[in-house]
Amino acid sequence: MGVALMFMILASVAPYLFYQLNKRWLAGVQTILVMGMWLYAINTHLLGINPGMFSLTWSSFYLSFLLAEVAWIMFIIREVKASEKTTLSY
């Protein structure tokens, strides 16, 4: 559960990353997915309710992780390019 919680926290930061990357529509989609992800986690771990496979909350749980990975990769690429520009200007 600890690893899943870590990835859930990273996925919860992803809308902010998309917003910083000027991908506002992806930030909106990720925000909706993050809400479904936390709802799924609360249902399964705290309440003991197992939603069916391919249900809305199940899909949002895993799609949120996928979209969060895209956000983090895009953010890292932008930061590397920005650091290359500052080192080349010296």
Side-chain angles (χ1 to χ4, degrees):
M1 177 60 193
V3 175
L5 184 62
M6 180 184 67
F7 281 114
M8 289 172 63
I9 292 169
L10 288 175
S12 297
V13 177
Y16 176 73
L17 297 177
F18 279 130
Y19 189 77
Q20 291 295 316
L21 295 167
N22 292 326
K23 307 285 185 192
R24 297 199 176 26
W25 68 276
L26 282 173
V29 170
Q30 180 67 11
T31 302
I32 293 168
L33 290 175
V34 163
M35 287 188 280
M37 174 190 67
W38 282 104
L39 184 63
Y40 178 81
I42 289 169
N43 281 337
T44 56
H45 296 293
L46 295 179
L47 302 177
I49 301 169
N50 289 326
M53 190 178 286
F54 300 109
S55 66
L56 186 61
T57 56
W58 184 90
S59 299
S60 65
F61 184 78
Y62 291 104
L63 288 175
S64 176
F65 286 157
L66 290 174
L67 200 55
E69 293 299 321
V70 171
W72 281 100
I73 289 170
M74 289 173 64
F75 182 73
I76 290 169
I77 289 171
R78 187 189 78 168
E79 291 299 314
V80 168
K81 285 184 180 181
S83 69
E84 286 177 354
K85 286 181 184 177
T86 58
T87 57
L88 292 176
S89 64
Y90 288 116

